[in-house]
């Protein structure tokens, strides 16, 4: 029960995001149910995993759609809580924390689900189809140091494609990601690590204006410019800024400028690579950036970009190597927590067909548009609650590793007790002690009084046995 007590005390910090105490108590129930459930069958699995009575199904549906759980406030509250919980373990480069951002495509087959559209998946794996129907999301996570490596603790994720409310709307995915990052309310400055799609003026300029920096990758066809040499004689007009144009991939042909060094990427031992650092003008920004050309013996060649010209080339490579931690976080969110396992349909929606693109609503009625916004908010509340569940599991794994392994009570062939346990291991440890925790709560506790009439003890053998022992 020690883990559950820590969990319960931590969750109490989310109370400001709820307009009413009843809403907060439902939030605690949903967080606990998503933590211990063994299947990902949507809201049904929440009712089943928490032994709730059937009438709670409709209550849970209303909870996800209720504006009493204010999503922007929940995001800011969770971000502040993560910064406080992991203050000693945040990965820092200098005085800056490290954020990781990437896109995610959640498959959805519902014909009456707003924002579902045809999405292209550019993946080298053979387990993903080229085109799917689903929701296109963008997520942000913060890097945390754990025993044996780093973890990407999720901060926020929103659905950023599929719906066009106005034909005058010109915001791109890049604009929406920057807005999502600034909505977090992070106080310290940070490095944003993202892939080549986000190496853009629309991302870099807003970050630089706020004192942050971008570390990304450039395409192999990218070009840069040397600073123009100062003119010997004065002449009319603006001084020349750009000098000789350089095709960056052509620089790999010159061996004399490359330096050999051990790979700084996590998990790589005994690997030697070649690299060189250059400070050149990048046309989208119109300012000097640091470019790192890397020739890896197994991963091939890549060109990295950093808007911070004080970083060493190997430091930039190490930073970009951490980008893949968010992919591990996505896998845990999908397969363990069920963050994207929602199935909320909109009854009055016009059915979509397979292969359809964005849904344009500028000619729809105000009532129809309000229904779409309500449904999108329900999806994003489900996603955000799933991210919070995952972050709480990571918190217990990082700071209470021994207790997690002690209460795990099962077997894994690949278990490494010297490293931080995975979210699956922590969830299993919590699942074993949930009935004892619920019964250990004092009779005056608000959660116990709220939950008691909603639980069916006959559906939980452990809970029923404990109640019978107490009665005897």
């Amino acid at each position: 029960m020690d883990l559950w007590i820590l969990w319960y005390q931590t969750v109490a910090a989310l109370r400001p995001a709820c307009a009413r105490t009843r809403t907060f108590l439902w939030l605690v129930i949903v967080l606990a149910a998503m933590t211990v459930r063994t299947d990902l069958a949507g809201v049904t699995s929440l009712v089943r995993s928490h032994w709730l009575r059937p009438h709670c199904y409709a209550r849970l549906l209303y909870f996800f759609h209720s504006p009493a759980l204010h999503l922007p406030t929940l995001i800011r509250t969770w971000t502040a809580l993560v910064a406080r919980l992991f203050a000693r373990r945040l990965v820092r480069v200098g005085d800056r924390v490290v954020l990781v951002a990437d896109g995610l495509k959640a498959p959805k087959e519902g014909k009456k689900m707003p924002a579902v559209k045809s999405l292209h998946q550019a993946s080298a794996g053979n387990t993903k189809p080229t085109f799917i129907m689903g929701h296109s999301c963008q997520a942000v996570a913060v890097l945390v140091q754990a025993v044996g490596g780093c973890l990407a603790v999720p901060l926020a994720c929103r659905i950023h494609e599929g719906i066009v409310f106005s034909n005058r709307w010109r915001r791109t995915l890049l604009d929406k990601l920057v807005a999502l990052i600034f909505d977090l309310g992070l106080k310290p400055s940070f490095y944003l690590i993202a892939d080549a799609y986000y190496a853009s003026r629309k991302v870099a300029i807003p970050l630089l204006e706020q004192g942050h920096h971008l570390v990304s990758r450039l395409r192999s066809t990218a070009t840069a410019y040397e600073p123009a040499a100062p003119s010997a004689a004065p002449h009319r007009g603006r001084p020349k800024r750009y000098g000789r144009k350089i095709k960056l991939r052509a620089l790999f042909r010159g061996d004399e400028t490359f330096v050999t060094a051990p790979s700084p990427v996590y998990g790589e031992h005994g690997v030697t690579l070649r690299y060189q650092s250059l400070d050149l003008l990048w046309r989208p920004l119109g300012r000097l950036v640091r470019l790192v050309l890397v020739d890896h013996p197994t991963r091939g060649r890549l060109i990295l970009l950093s808007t911070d010209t004080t970083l060493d080339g190997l430091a930039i490579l190490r930073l970009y190597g951490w980008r893949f931690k968010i992919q591990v976080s996505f896998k845990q969110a999908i397969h363990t927590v069920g963050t994207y396992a929602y199935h909320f349909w909109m009854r009055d929606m016009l059915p979509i067909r397979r292969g359809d693109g964005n849904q344009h609503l500028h000619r729809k009625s105000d009532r129809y548009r309000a229904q779409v916004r309500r449904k999108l908010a329900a999806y994003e509340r489900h996603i955000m609650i799933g991210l919070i569940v995952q972050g709480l599991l990571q918190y217990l794994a990082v700071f209470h590793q021994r207790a997690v392994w002690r209460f795990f009570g099962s077997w894994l062939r690949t278990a490494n007790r010297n490293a931080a346990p995975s979210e699956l291991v922590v969830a299993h440890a919590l699942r074993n002690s949930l009935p004892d925790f619920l019964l250990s709560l004092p009779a005056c506790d608000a959660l116990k009084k709220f939950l008691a009439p909603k639980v069916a003890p006959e559906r939980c053998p452990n809970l029923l046995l404990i109640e019978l022992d107490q009665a005897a």
Side-chain angles (χ1 to χ4, degrees), residues 67-385:
L69 181 60
H70 192 238
L71 187 61
T73 306
L74 181 61
I75 291 175
R76 290 192 296 269
T77 305
W78 169 243
T79 302
L81 179 60
V82 168
R84 180 168 58 85
L85 293 177
F86 295 96
R88 295 183 289 113
R89 294 296 186 93
L90 292 177
V91 174
R92 295 181 182 271
V93 178
D95 59 346
R96 301 177 186 273
V97 299
V98 180
L99 299 185
V100 190
D102 204 357
L104 172 70
K105 298 177 176 64
K108 296 294 172 186
E109 292 290 345
K111 295 184 178 181
K112 291 192 173 186
M113 296 182 71
V116 169
K117 60 175 292 189
S118 178
L119 300 170
H120 178 258
Q121 295 195 124
S123 175
N126 59 1
T127 59
K128 293 183 178 180
T130 306
F131 288 92
I132 63 168
M133 296 294 291
H135 282 151
S136 175
C137 308
Q138 293 188 111
V140 183
V142 63
L143 281 183
V144 171
Q145 185 66 48
V147 179
C150 294
L151 298 175
V153 179
L155 297 179
C157 180
R158 303 293 291 266
I159 299 173
H160 281 166
E161 272 192 285
I163 294 292
V164 179
F165 285 101
S166 172
N167 57 358
R168 298 183 181 89
W169 195 252
R170 293 295 180 265
R171 294 184 68 191
T172 65
L173 288 176
L174 303 178
D175 298 320
K176 294 176 182 178
L177 175 70
V178 172
L180 175 61
I181 293 173
F182 289 153
D183 286 344
L184 297 176
L186 272 176
K187 294 182 180 179
S189 56
F190 56 80
Y191 288 105
L192 176 65
I193 316 300
D195 63 8
Y197 177 75
Y198 298 98
S200 168
R201 175 186 177 87
K202 287 193 172 184
V203 176
I205 289 294
L207 294 180
L208 290 170
E209 289 176 349
Q210 299 294 327
H212 312 300
H213 285 288
L214 172 68
V215 175
S216 185
R217 180 175 63 87
L218 294 181
R219 303 181 188 276
S220 60
T221 57
T223 59
Y225 295 82
E226 293 180 347
S231 176
H235 59 275
R236 297 178 62 184
R238 188 180 64 179
K240 187 177 181 181
R241 176 184 295 182
Y242 299 98
R244 184 171 64 96
K245 183 177 180 180
I246 300 175
K247 294 184 177 180
L248 296 177
R249 65 180 177 185
L251 298 178
F252 285 102
R253 300 170 190 164
D255 294 338
E256 65 280 358
T257 57
F258 278 80
V259 179
T260 302
S263 174
V265 180
Y266 71 92
E268 291 189 347
H269 304 286
V271 178
T272 302
L273 51 80
R274 299 165 56 248
Y275 79 98
Q276 68 166 316
S277 300
L278 301 167
D279 289 346
L280 297 174
L281 289 169
W282 189 45
R283 197 67 177 255
L285 286 185
R287 58 175 288 173
L288 282 175
V289 297
R290 178 148 294 181
L291 301 173
V292 183
L293 283 69
V294 182
D295 190 358
H296 196 281
T298 58
R299 301 177 186 270
R301 297 172 175 176
L302 70 157
I303 305 169
L304 302 181
L305 172 144
S306 170
T307 57
D308 185 1
T309 57
T310 64
L311 280 180
D312 177 70
L314 291 179
I316 295 172
L317 178 57
R318 181 171 64 253
L319 274 173
Y320 188 77
W322 284 334
R323 187 188 74 81
F324 299 95
K325 288 297 181 180
I326 198 171
Q327 301 295 334
V328 180
S329 179
F330 285 161
K331 289 184 179 180
Q332 295 290 344
I334 294 171
H335 301 294
T336 301
V337 180
T339 303
Y340 305 93
Y342 49 84
H343 308 284
F344 307 139
W345 288 19
M346 180 176 155
R347 180 180 299 176
D348 297 334
M349 178 179 167
L350 300 176
I352 59 175
R353 296 175 297 180
R354 188 167 190 85
D356 282 355
N358 291 330
Q359 300 159 27
H360 295 266
L361 305 182
H362 55 280
R363 293 186 178 179
K364 301 296 182 182
S365 65
D366 292 340
R367 179 177 177 275
Y368 187 86
R369 288 150 63 95
Q371 287 179 319
V372 171
R373 286 192 173 94
R374 178 174 178 267
K375 196 62 62 174
L376 279 177
Y379 298 153
E380 292 182 338
R381 288 190 189 97
H382 189 285
I383 292 172
M384 191 61 210
I385 291 173

